[in-house]
Amino acid sequence: MSSTILTGGPVRTMTGDGHTPEAVLIHDGVVRAVGTLTETRRSAYETPEIVDLDGRTLMPGFVDAHAHTILHGSAIDWVDLSGARGIGDVVRLLAERAAARPGEAVRGYGYDQSKLVEGRHPSAADLDRVTRDRVVQIQHASGHGYVVNTLALRQANITAATPTPLGGRIDRDADGEPTGVLFDSACDLLTGAEGVKVRNHGPNFHLPMTHAEIDHLFDLGQRSLLAAGITTMCDAQVTQLEMDAYLRARDEGRLRMRTEMLALSSNLEHLTGLGMSSRLGDDQLRLWGVKLYADGSVIARTAYLNGHACCGKPSPDGYLYHEPEELAALITTAHRLGLSTATHAQGPLPIGVVLDAVADARAERPRTGLVHRIEHCGFPTGEQIGRMAGLNVVPVPQPMQVSLYGDSLMDEFGEFGGRFYPYGEFERAGVPVVISSDAPVTMPNPLEAVWAAVTRETLGGAVSGDAAQQAGRANALRGVTVTPARMLGRQDIGVIRPGARADLVFLDADPVTVPVERLPKVGVTESWIGGEEVVLG
Ligand SMILES: [Zn+2]
């Protein structure tokens, strides 16, 4: 393999040593030298090819610590309902798709009931206006639930007699008939007889699909992540369907991103039976840990925020996926297997359950090298943030949600709502600042997410909480590169230094010096993985 020297623009190594070297030498997919052009030339084994950055900024490839490749592909392929401002919009957009793709199920993604003038979820009766002859299924912006039409309810055999499962929600009318709204563990009912069932271990994202459909969605999702400069991602919910899709992509040469997988906790018994005692996989695809769910979604108002409300608004009726003892037992089991845990927890009570469980697991066996995570971690108390620092528990929030949903959270929850994802407190407590997308819940654009963490500006032009919750810019830039890489246990990505993988992004402006309001517009012109440019077909 030939040697390459990249030079001609700012090089942001993210190593924290304050140096901005003139040139980077890569060989065999690995960074071999960093320094002046002369130094790197001297280090080359052979006459290197010189790549001119032409003023562009070179950074390590971005690391997205929490995203969903196939679900993100669905969001791209299905009807985009994120702009819908009323149920009429939802019906019209779906009807257009139904006309454009005759004979196919009509699927949409991204409606948000809080943005609809009706202030409620659409119903089966609403979706019947799209069509009664074909299945219509729309997924909530949180990914935690669906609304389906009457035909889809009938095909899934969901009736007044169907019990509401633990950790789930089936909305019903006065006669007990399902209205078409199914959330969290109730989504198992929609995957069909052959589909994956996750019981009360999480929201089931799946609808009945063929391998060809799944591969198409996978490719769409991966392409979008790569185009955003994300060269390493952690898939935050892997069931049989995702595992099979990743392995197929790898075997067929379609997998490009480095991927760390979180197996959903519904598979823990199988992992135990397999004799897992550490992580499994390689440089490109690895089973890193276990994903668990403690409570529901903040955006869907199914998170366990019970007792929190303000301004005369009712407190939402959130729920837990497991009894606290059951969740603690799952976390302990994963810890014993040598796997990290990543538990979705939003409200103070479920966050406390996770921290107690990690404390107990570490008391039994410290395994200090094993990181445990809290996904999202919307509303930790100050005391809980202090415990995170001591327990090596890392929160993994998505700051773009502060921008997208901060207004409605402050409106409904007052001061409590403004404290959503308290990055400033994380920083001051010495808790790592990690920035992720949860794609498709927010679109993958790491530097836009950095902007959101640094400014906490909402769509409505307010600042969520106060300036004390803003993240520092340098720390936020580390939050999309080196910090999540370290959290994932990888010393060889997220930085540009000798020995690191040559996973790189070329940017059309320098995110360290560009005015902060321009961060969302900084463009990725090339992504490289292992020293080779990723060509998006
Ligand atoms: Zn997620």
Side-chain angles (χ1 to χ4, degrees):
M1 253 194 179
S2 65
S3 295
T4 306
I5 289 176
L6 301 122
T7 190
V11 177
R12 298 298 182 185
T13 63
M14 306 312 289
T15 52
D17 63 5
H19 293 144
T20 42
E22 187 185 8
V24 177
L25 168 71
I26 61 183
H27 183 83
D28 259 353
V30 173
V31 174
R32 295 294 176 192
V34 171
T36 65
L37 185 55
T38 314
E39 284 165 349
T40 52
R41 273 188 196 280
R42 218 179 286 139
S43 304
Y45 304 106
E46 60 214 81
T47 309
E49 183 198 347
I50 307 284
V51 171
D52 186 1
L53 293 170
D54 201 13
R56 292 173 295 177
T57 298
L58 191 68
M59 267 184 85
F62 297 125
V63 180
D64 194 335
H66 181 136
H68 305 274
T69 306
I70 294 171
L71 189 62
H72 183 47
S74 310
I76 294 166
D77 187 54
W78 297 354
V79 179
D80 177 8
L81 300 174
S82 61
R85 293 294 172 264
I87 289 168
D89 292 343
V90 172
V91 171
R92 177 177 50 78
L93 290 164
L94 292 169
E96 285 169 14
R97 173 63 63 93
R101 295 194 191 175
E104 278 184 25
V106 186
R107 288 171 175 164
Y109 170 80
Y111 84 91
D112 174 3
Q113 81 292 346
S114 76
K115 294 202 167 80
L116 303 178
V117 287
E118 293 85 354
R120 64 166 174 87
H121 297 271
S123 66
D126 295 321
L127 299 187
D128 287 344
R129 285 159 54 201
V130 178
T131 172
R132 290 172 164 279
D133 314 325
R134 277 187 266 163
V135 164
V136 182
Q137 293 146 324
I138 62 173
Q139 193 173 30
H140 187 261
S142 64
H144 278 240
Y146 283 94
V147 186
V148 303
N149 70 348
T150 301
L151 179 65
L153 280 176
R154 198 179 310 135
Q155 284 188 357
N157 197 26
I158 300 166
T159 69
T162 306
T164 300
L166 179 67
R169 164 176 156 187
I170 299 175
D171 285 7
R172 298 168 195 271
D173 66 16
D175 301 322
E177 293 293 337
T179 62
V181 178
L182 295 102
F183 266 76
D184 294 295
S185 67
C187 300
D188 258 6
L189 297 165
L190 297 174
T191 63
E194 307 286 302
V196 173
K197 304 295 177 191
V198 306
R199 308 188 309 280
N200 65 323
H201 289 270
N204 195 329
F205 299 151
H206 307 140
L207 295 171
M209 286 189 285
T210 64
H211 276 182
E213 286 170 322
I214 293 166
D215 291 351
H216 176 60
L217 299 180
F218 180 91
D219 293 346
L220 284 175
Q222 174 176 245
R223 186 181 199 288
S224 165
L225 293 164
L226 288 169
I230 293 161
T231 52
T232 295
M233 62 88 72
C234 180
D235 194 307
Q237 183 160 331
V238 172
T239 68
Q240 297 94 301
L241 184 144
E242 284 82 10
M243 179 65 81
D244 187 36
Y246 273 107
L247 295 175
R248 205 159 53 236
R250 183 199 64 187
D251 292 351
E252 292 172 3
R254 292 182 291 108
L255 178 63
R256 306 297 309 276
M257 319 173 284
R258 298 189 200 277
T259 307
E260 306 282 346
M261 295 187 286
L262 292 172
L264 190 61
S265 61
S266 50
N267 297 294
L268 252 179
E269 53 196 301
H270 307 302
L271 296 175
T272 306
L274 259 176
M276 292 292 291
S277 59
S278 186
R279 293 179 180 137
L280 177 69
D282 57 25
D283 201 37
Q284 193 186 23
L285 183 65
R286 186 166 68 148
L287 177 58
W288 184 80
V290 176
K291 172 70 178 292
L292 307 98
Y293 282 81
D295 66 345
S297 148
V298 165
I299 328 171
R301 301 293 187 266
T302 58
Y304 195 86
L305 306 177
N306 300 25
H308 290 280
C310 99
C311 327
K313 310 246 164 63
S315 176
D317 194 14
Y319 41 71
L320 302 174
Y321 273 90
H322 307 276
E323 295 299 334
E325 306 72 47
E326 186 181 61
L327 182 71
L330 293 167
I331 289 174
T332 303
T333 302
H335 183 81
R336 285 184 189 142
L337 295 183
L339 296 173
S340 287
T341 62
T343 306
H344 170 120
Q346 292 281 23
L349 183 140
I351 289 170
V353 171
V354 176
L355 292 173
D356 289 346
V358 172
D360 288 349
R362 290 213 193 277
E364 181 193 279
R365 192 168 171 192
R367 285 195 188 264
T368 45
L370 208 57
V371 174
H372 292 290
R373 307 170 24 171
I374 297 182
E375 306 308 291
H376 318 300
C377 201
F379 298 104
T381 66
E383 187 257 332
Q384 289 172 338
I385 293 171
R387 290 185 73 195
M388 286 175 207
L391 286 168
N392 194 14
V393 168
V394 180
V396 180
Q398 295 75 37
M400 274 307 290
Q401 292 198 336
V402 175
S403 172
L404 296 171
Y405 305 108
D407 296 310
S408 65
L409 289 172
M410 286 189 283
D411 182 44
E412 278 179 51
F413 298 102
E415 206 177 300
F416 178 84
R419 208 175 144 274
F420 188 44
Y421 299 152
Y423 274 112
E425 283 178 65
F426 292 153
E427 262 185 357
R428 288 187 292 281
V431 169
V433 165
V434 171
I435 290 173
S436 67
S437 69
D438 198 8
V441 177
T442 72
M443 291 305 276
N445 180 346
L447 294 177
E448 185 181 41
V450 166
W451 163 84
V454 169
T455 65
R456 296 180 65 86
E457 258 176 60
T458 66
L459 281 182
V463 171
S464 178
D466 55 42
Q469 296 302 2
Q470 293 167 339
R473 178 158 167 179
N475 223 3
L477 287 168
R478 293 169 60 84
V480 291
T481 50
V482 63
T483 307
R486 292 293 171 279
M487 179 185 72
L488 292 166
R490 300 213 48 164
Q491 308 301 315
D492 60 343
I493 58 169
V495 286
I496 299 175
R497 69 155 174 242
R501 303 279 149 194
D503 294 359
L504 305 164
V505 281
F506 297 45
L507 304 169
D508 63 11
D510 183 352
V512 176
T513 57
V514 77
V516 74
E517 64 275 11
R518 279 198 51 211
L519 278 171
K521 297 280 175 237
V522 173
V524 173
T525 63
E526 287 180 32
S527 304
W528 288 29
I529 295 177
E532 285 182 36
E533 185 183 354
V534 179
V535 180
L536 300 172

